[in-house]
């Protein structure tokens, strides 16, 4: 059961870093500043944080898999977690290309994907909260 306890702190980083990155990205756009080293670092830390959240979710769900599959929202939570990892890997690749080819369409695609990713992370967190508070705590896990 100890592996289950690893997931909550990991997902807090998976939400906090991308949200901070979004605020930073919007600020850079507002003041017309080109993405710099801080922007790149926040992007890659965000990618690793989301990958860590997904990995910890995969690890944590194994011991209680039977209980989780009885929860209606769990399958959507699981699919979205994997999809978010793919989305943030794509975001990391876009940031890599943004460093060498700072074109408007790459910059716009980057910000759009980041905004979508952060919004989906909030939905993912909502579903995770529902799984824990509406189901698992009620059955005494």
């Amino acid at each position: 059961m100890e592996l289950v306890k690893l997931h909550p702190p990991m997902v807090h980083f998976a939400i906090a870093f991308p949200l901070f990155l979004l605020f930073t990205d919007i600020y850079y756009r507002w003041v017309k500043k080109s993405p710099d080293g801080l922007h790149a670092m926040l992007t890659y830390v965000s990618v690793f944080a989301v990958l860590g959240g997904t990995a910890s979710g995969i690890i944590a769900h194994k011991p209680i898999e039977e209980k989780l599959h009885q929860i209606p929202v769990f399958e959507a939570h699981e699919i979205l977690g994997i999809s978010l990892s793919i989305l943030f890997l794509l975001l990391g690749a876009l940031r890599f290309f943004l460093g060498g080819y700072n074109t408007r369409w790459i910059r716009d695609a980057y910000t759009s994907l980041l905004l979508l990713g952060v919004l989906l992370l909030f939905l993912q967190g909502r579903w995770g909260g529902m799984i824990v508070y509406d189901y698992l705590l009620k059955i005494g896990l």
Side-chain angles (χ1 to χ4, degrees), residues 102-120:
N102 193 5
T103 63
R104 179 150 179 98
W105 77 267
I106 294 175
R107 184 81 167 97
D108 290 346
Y110 176 90
T111 301
S112 298
L113 278 180
L114 177 58
L115 179 60
L116 175 65
V118 169
L119 292 173
L120 289 174

Side-chain angles (χ1 to χ4, degrees), residues 42-117:
L42 286 173
T43 299
Y44 300 131
V45 169
S46 295
V47 170
F48 284 116
V50 171
L51 291 173
T54 301
S56 68
I58 291 169
I59 292 168
H61 104 276
K62 293 292 183 195
I64 57 171
E65 190 167 7
E66 290 177 22
K67 293 175 185 175
L68 289 173
H69 284 289
Q70 296 171 2
I71 300 171
V73 74
F74 176 72
E75 188 173 322
H77 181 73
E78 186 175 38
I79 291 169
L80 183 55
I82 293 166
S83 299
L84 280 165
S85 285
I86 294 167
L87 186 143
F88 273 85
L89 283 169
L90 178 59
L91 191 73
L94 272 176
R95 180 57 184 92
F96 178 78
F97 288 114
L98 187 61
Y101 309 100
N102 193 5
T103 63
R104 179 150 179 98
W105 77 267
I106 294 175
R107 184 81 167 97
D108 290 346
Y110 176 90
T111 301
S112 298
L113 278 180
L114 177 58
L115 179 60
L116 175 65

